[in-house]
Amino acid sequence: MNWYGPAGIGTGRGIEGFRHWHQIPFLRAIDLHQVGDAKGALEAYNKVYEAGLDHPALLFNRAVMLHYAGHTDDSLRELNEIAGDPEYAIAGQLLQGQIFLERGNAMRAAQ
């Protein structure tokens, strides 16, 4: 049996494979994210991504943690991946603006 998780994301590993490779690491990443452990959250988000989950929610959360960890170029690249997604475009643009403002580029931040 294939398990289809949030947004129809499927895995051929069955329900136990879904839990092991996607659900548990993603929930761990969210917990780490919420307590501000950028390094730990990034490691957990990356594990989920490498297992094949590339949902915009994951990409956005990785972008946020990359920003917190000081990897703003990587964060901007991640945000560009989800720029066209209607659910994450505004939040992504706000984070991009914040990054450019932090870099002293108010004109770019305002775009």
Side-chain angles (χ1 to χ4, degrees), residues 38-39 42 62-76 99 102-103:
K39 183 181 178 196
L42 275 172
R62 280 191 355 168
V64 170
M65 289 293 99
L66 285 164
H67 172 247
Y68 287 151
H71 304 289
T72 55
D73 288 337
D74 293 331
S75 179
L76 289 170
I99 291 170
E102 289 169 359
R103 291 178 170 183

Side-chain angles (χ1 to χ4, degrees), residues 10 20 24 26 31-32 44 51 66 69 71 74 78-79 82 88 101-102 107:
H20 176 76
I24 292 170
F26 190 72
D31 288 342
L32 294 167
L66 285 164
H71 304 289
D74 293 331
E78 203 84 350
L79 292 168
I82 60 168
Y88 294 92
L101 197 57
E102 289 169 359
M107 290 300 291

Side-chain angles (χ1 to χ4, degrees), residues 37-61:
D37 182 354
K39 183 181 178 196
L42 275 172
E43 288 174 4
Y45 284 138
N46 287 338
K47 181 178 180 181
V48 176
Y49 183 79
E50 290 165 5
L53 184 69
D54 63 352
H55 190 273
L58 173 64
L59 300 179
F60 178 76
N61 287 350

Side-chain angles (χ1 to χ4, degrees), residues 86-101:
E87 292 186 36
Y88 294 92
I90 292 174
Q93 289 172 351
L94 288 171
L95 182 54
Q96 284 177 331
Q98 181 178 344
I99 291 170
F100 288 121
L101 197 57

